[in-house]
Amino acid sequence: MKILSPNEELLRDALSCIPQSSSRTSLSSCNKLIRFEDISAAAFKIQSGVQKTPCMYSRLSKQYGMDIYLKKEFLQYTGSVKERGVLYLLTSLPQDQQRKGVIVASDSNFSMAVAYQASGLRIPVFVIMSTSTSPARVKMCREYGAMVISYGTTAKDAQMHARRLAQENGYLYLEEEDSAVYLSGLGTVGLEMYEQVPKLDAVIFPAGGHCGLLAGSAAALKHLNPRISVIGVEPESFPVLQQSLKAGHPSEDQACNNHHFYGDVSGLCFGSNSLQLTGKLVDKVVAVREEDILISMLRLLEYERATVDAEGAIGLAALVAGKLPELKGKRVAIVLCSGNLELNLLQQCIARALTLDNRVCRFSLVLADSPGEISKLLEILAREEVRVLDIKQERTFVTSELFTVEVTCTVETRDKIHTAQLRNTLLERYPTAAWVER
């Protein structure tokens, strides 16, 4: 008789007798117990195919009153932690299936990871994408070595076509799920963090519908040290994990209307394995606002030179929002799991974050339409050391006195205190100055 540790018994309780959804392609190992040995085996097997990313002390530590360490998974070749689970999944396939090939149908980080890792293993790989997919994503998958086929106008069209091709040609249709193999590969993140940062008090992961990283890493961390607090963070506008945990089964009632911003965390809760592991092993799941995620992206770009997407920044957003006051003075690690943000969306996110952080503001005031008035205003702005981003004048539709001009300025300040100082200075000189609220 094999003697299990209490943590292994906990994992067995979480995974025993869990039904699998027939709508997804499930590997034969789906119901297998996820043991610490499985995660260790995954770490050994994938070590030459993925980066052992750094977990570095952050300059944000002083700002939030704790020792913060950032696990920079966005430095993986495809910019996503999904490579870990995908590589272990692909290397675990039978050789005859590897020769036939695999097929996926989405524009997600999972598909990007499959395209890159399958090509590296010389496994034929096909990616079906709808015609609405970003051209940048299509190009990237092709550069990774996949055969990319555009089909249909929706993701559902692409998935149906991929299933048909898989059935006709013997390809294995892969969809991100929570098989034991995939979770073990993702769990290697927790294993690495435990080795890299001694005396950890807490680890923060992205959650949402695709909570495999949270579940797999929790299995590793809780086995190594049950006192480490494992925390998941998901969007407030899409709290699918919290609702699924409350209901006791994966929730499929919500839909995210901002998929391009939230990325993979916006997916529906896809598996009972991850959900049960999360319920048993994760200490806390919190939700954050979109505004907190944007400011988190800004902080990481400024302080860490880390360009991450919403999924990568959502862990830090819990600290930005003040949702975890119990971690003050503790040693905390945060996983920055993804950095795949399209350039046009990145530009919008940073511009919005600067406004939310009170560092870009707009005001309007009415001046006499005479020489020198605009110059006096610009002199005040120069003395206050603000940067003028835009200035507009309106004469025709001014509703105040005749021979006046309405001036609207957009300026950049250092921080919230600097903005308040500018506002007070302008109101002293121009009592009718109006600020455009964000």
Side-chain angles (χ1 to χ4, degrees), residues 53-125:
T53 56
C55 192
M56 302 171 62
Y57 184 78
S58 173
R59 290 194 296 143
L60 291 164
S61 298
K62 185 177 180 180
Q63 187 169 342
Y64 295 105
M66 61 190 75
D67 290 333
I68 298 175
Y69 293 82
L70 301 177
K71 179 65 169 168
K72 300 186 177 182
E73 280 297 303
F74 66 92
L75 295 178
Q76 297 291 351
Y77 192 85
T78 63
S80 169
V81 70
K82 301 293 174 70
E83 284 189 42
R84 294 174 178 269
V86 164
L87 179 57
Y88 193 45
L89 190 154
L90 292 174
T91 55
S92 301
L93 294 178
Q95 286 195 356
D96 63 332
Q97 188 59 65
Q98 291 187 22
R99 285 192 295 270
K100 290 178 182 177
V102 296
I103 189 167
V104 291
S106 76
D107 61 351
S108 65
N109 289 333
F110 178 79
S111 292
M112 306 275 276
V114 171
Y116 172 66
Q117 293 293 349
S119 298
L121 295 170
R122 299 184 182 279
I123 297 174
V125 54

Side-chain angles (χ1 to χ4, degrees), residues 207-208 214 230-234 241-242 245 278 282-287:
L214 172 65
V230 179
I231 300 167
V233 187
E234 65 179 347
L241 179 56
Q242 292 182 71
L245 288 170
T278 300
V282 174
D283 298 277
K284 191 174 186 179
V285 178
V286 299

Side-chain angles (χ1 to χ4, degrees), residues 385-402:
E385 298 180 344
V386 301
R387 180 176 173 227
V388 179
L389 301 178
D390 186 39
I391 184 166
K392 295 179 180 178
Q393 302 179 57
E394 176 60 60
R395 290 178 173 82
T396 307
F397 296 98
V398 177
T399 58
S400 57
E401 300 176 7
L402 294 175

Side-chain angles (χ1 to χ4, degrees), residues 244-265:
S244 297
L245 288 170
K246 186 176 181 180
H249 58 80
S251 171
E252 297 184 0
D253 296 333
Q254 293 197 28
C256 178
N257 58 8
N258 200 357
H259 164 72
H260 291 292
F261 175 68
Y262 285 114
D264 289 2
V265 296

